């Protein structure tokens, strides 16, 4: 009778899990997720630093692990090491992506420091003169800018309000911004 240590039992369990995953056993993927997802989420979150993005990357990683599992080689390393590298690489790819970099430059108004700081009592937004500059836009562009920037509408809401295609709203807004940027300079 051979004595089993916790390490040998864990290794046997991992080998069984690996075999079931190689056999494309979906129930094994559920076991895998339950066993490793919390640790993998932690690795991802430390890199991306945002919960919703970490959750998205974890989901993407699980799909990638499932589809690329045949490439896992147990002789090169343990299962956890391999999946951790998959997750880490996806998280790094995410923060290097243009979409992430652009999104991290802006933050929701609710998180903005501007809400926590009182404006100077002498500050009057109309003194900036932007509204006066918009009068130099053509009527279509001005209507879009008024709704977007002074009315607080989203581009989709403007499209709905004016019964225009979203692409038209975006094109007119972009053209208006180009005109305004020339006027500001």
């Amino acid at each position: 009778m051979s004595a089993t240590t916790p390490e040998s039992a864990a290794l046997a369990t991992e080998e069984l899990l690996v075999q079931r995953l190689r056999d494309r056993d979906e129930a094994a993927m559920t076991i895998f997720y339950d066993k490793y997802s919390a640790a993998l989420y932690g690795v991802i979150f430390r890199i991306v630093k945002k919960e919703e993005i970490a959750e998205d990357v974890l989901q993407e990683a699980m799909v990638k692990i499932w589809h690329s599992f045949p490439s896992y080689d147990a002789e090169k390393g343990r299962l956890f090491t391999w999946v951790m590298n998959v997750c880490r690489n996806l998280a790094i790819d995410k923060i290097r992506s243009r979409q992430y970099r652009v999104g991290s430059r802006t933050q929701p108004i609710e998180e903005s420091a501007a809400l926590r700081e009182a404006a100077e009592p002498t500050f009057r937004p109309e003194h900036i003169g932007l509204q006066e500059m918009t009068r130099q836009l053509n009527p279509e562009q001005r209507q879009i800018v008024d709704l977007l920037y002074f009315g607080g509408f989203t581009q989709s809401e403007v499209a709905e309000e004016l019964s225009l295609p979203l692409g038209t709203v975006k094109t007119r807004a972009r053209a208006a911004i180009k005109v305004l940027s020339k006027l500001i300079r």
Side-chain angles (χ1 to χ4, degrees):
M1 184 175 193
S2 65
T4 58
T5 65
E7 287 176 1
S8 65
L11 188 57
T13 304
E14 184 174 299
E15 287 172 356
L16 179 60
L17 181 60
V18 167
Q19 187 55 51
R20 288 180 65 190
L21 288 168
R22 284 193 194 286
D23 294 340
R24 312 308 285 160
D25 181 349
E26 291 179 15
M29 192 63 186
T30 302
I31 294 167
F32 170 83
Y33 182 86
D34 292 342
K35 185 173 182 176
Y36 295 114
S37 64
L40 296 174
Y41 175 83
V43 168
I44 294 167
F45 182 77
R46 273 183 258 142
I47 296 169
V48 300
K49 296 178 179 43
K50 292 182 182 171
E51 286 181 27
E52 62 277 358
I53 293 174
E55 290 167 2
D56 288 346
V57 171
L58 178 62
Q59 182 177 359
E60 186 181 338
M62 289 298 161
V63 171
K64 183 170 185 160
I65 290 164
W66 175 254
H67 289 295
S68 62
F69 200 81
S71 69
Y72 168 64
D73 184 356
E75 292 180 16
K76 291 184 179 178
R78 295 198 51 207
L79 176 62
F80 180 74
T81 306
W82 181 72
V83 297
M84 185 190 64
N85 283 329
V86 169
C87 291
R88 183 179 54 82
N89 290 341
L90 283 173
I92 291 169
D93 289 347
K94 177 58 89 174
I95 63 172
R96 288 180 177 165
S97 73
R98 176 173 162 72
Q99 177 188 8
Y100 181 87
R101 289 192 320 268
V102 168
S104 65
R105 283 189 213 141
T106 60
Q107 55 180 264
I109 193 77
E110 303 83 42
E111 296 174 19
S112 172
L115 283 181
R116 295 184 292 276
E117 296 175 10
E120 293 292 323
T122 57
F123 175 74
R124 297 185 40 100
E126 59 273 11
H127 288 171
I128 295 172
L130 188 58
Q131 250 177 336
E132 288 75 29
M133 283 186 207
T134 63
R135 292 190 184 117
Q136 297 180 40
L137 297 171
N138 72 42
E140 293 173 338
Q141 292 172 339
R142 182 171 182 202
Q143 185 179 33
I144 301 272
V145 169
D146 284 345
L147 291 172
L148 285 172
Y149 298 100
F150 303 118
F153 285 58
T154 64
Q155 289 180 333
S156 297
E157 291 169 339
V158 170
E160 196 174 306
E161 177 76 17
L162 301 177
S163 300
L164 292 171
L166 180 59
T168 301
V169 171
K170 290 180 177 190
T171 300
R172 289 180 186 173
R174 198 173 318 118
I177 289 170
K178 283 182 182 179
V179 171
L180 290 172
S181 68
K182 288 177 184 174
L183 292 172
I184 291 172
R185 291 182 189 150

